[in-house]
Structure formats: C-alpha cells, structure tokens
Amino acid sequence: MDCGHIGVDESGKGDYFGPLVVAACFVAPEHLAELEGVQDSKKLTDKKALALARQIKSICPYEVLVIMPKRYNELYAEIRNLNRLLEWGHAKVIEEVQKKQPCSLAISDRFADPRGLISKLKKKGIDIELQSYVRAESDPAVAAASILARAGFLERLGSLSNEFEIDLPKGATNVIGTGKRFVDQYGRERLGEVAKLHFKTTASI
C-alpha cells in the first residue's frame, strides 16, 4: 500500500544572484486530488509557482532551507564542492520532514552519485530508502518540492533586489552588467551578499 513519500529538490544552484534553496515535501495519495496543476517548477511561470507553493504549504508537510548568498559563500569556501553542499541541504530537509511525517521513502532529482546523500542520511541516523534519478520531477512529491524551492528562491531574490534597490536577474547569463552596477554602488566587498562568488562570472564583474 502506498503510504506516501518525501520528494526533494533545489532551486538557485545555476543562478548567480540570490540564494540556494532546498525543499522537501511529503505527498500521500490523499493529497493528490488537491495538488492538481503541480508539475516541475521549470515549466511554470513565476506567478504560478508562487501561487502553487502557497497551496502546497496548506496541504502537505514540508521543509524549505534557504541558504542566502553570504552563508552560501561561507559554506562553499569550507566545503569547496557544490554537490557536497547539496547533499548536506537535501539530508537536512529530509530529516526535518521525516520528523513531521515519518515515512520509508525519499525521492530526489539526481544531481550526483546518490551514495553521498545516502551516507549523510545514515550519519544522521535516518532510516529511509533513497531513490535518485534524472527527471524525478515527474513524481508529484518531487514536483511539489521543486515548486517550494523555486518560490523560496524567487521571494528571496526579490527581497535582495528591494534591499539593494537593484533588479537582480535570474540565471547566469546577462548578469555581468548588473553585477558591475552593484559593485559601483556598494563596492566589490559586498558582492557576496547577493551573489555566488565561485561562479566564473565574478572575475568578469
């Protein structure tokens, strides 16, 4: 019998500006009727993703981990590997959702060798089967997690844009001009408050 499972996904890892956001969401069969329209967040408009995230939060147990640029840069300097950083984040949100809704299965979109994430979960004492595969967003729980992660990214990117009064774009192309304007206005030492500094883009800025 399907008792439900946890899906996990992230947003922002390929975006120069803004945070890295990792989300996990528990979805059971009884949730599916209320999650109509939930699909891979990459196929949704920003407005639709934000609206669906509010809907998902009202229905399912979830956890969203937002790693703002300043903290992200500190963690990256320490870990020196994005996949290890993702494993840490994935394990953390799975752990938090399993506290709210114990279950025996988690599914993640495959970003690296899944053995690293399995090892992190075991070290935390989390007894859960992990399935990790490409295009896992076809699973409703992973799709829900992808929407929660994207909404978290959009909200925080918007708040950074408001805070610094500069429209920080998504993505990693067409960002150099904005980065230069930011440095002109606030100084290069503050770029790490809005951007992921290990991107090659930083040298161009």
Side-chain angles (χ1 to χ4, degrees), residues 18-32:
L20 174 67
V21 182
V22 184
C25 185
F26 174 84
V27 174
E30 63 267 23
H31 298 138
L32 294 177

Side-chain angles (χ1 to χ4, degrees), residues 93-124:
V93 293
I94 289 170
E95 178 184 31
E96 291 306 314
V97 173
Q98 210 193 27
K99 286 177 188 173
K100 298 168 187 175
Q101 178 61 63
C103 69
S104 58
L105 173 65
I107 299 177
S108 81
D109 192 42
R110 188 163 190 156
F111 56 84
D113 186 335
R115 287 178 296 185
L117 177 52
I118 291 166
S119 173
K120 287 270 195 311
L121 292 167
K122 282 184 176 172
K123 282 179 183 173
K124 286 175 171 285

Side-chain angles (χ1 to χ4, degrees), residues 1 10 17 20 31 33-34 39-40 46 53 76 78 80 86 92 96 98 107-108 122 124 143 151 164 178 186 203:
M1 191 176 91
E10 74 285 324
F17 292 114
L20 174 67
H31 298 138
E34 296 181 88
Q39 56 182 292
D40 177 9
D46 291 352
Y76 192 88
E78 182 185 322
R80 307 296 302 173
L86 286 168
K92 193 170 177 63
E96 291 306 314
Q98 210 193 27
I107 299 177
S108 81
K122 282 184 176 172
K124 286 175 171 285
F164 290 98
T178 304
Y186 295 100

Side-chain angles (χ1 to χ4, degrees), residues 57 59 61 106 124 167 195 199:
K57 288 177 179 180
I59 297 165
K124 286 175 171 285
D167 186 16
F199 279 43

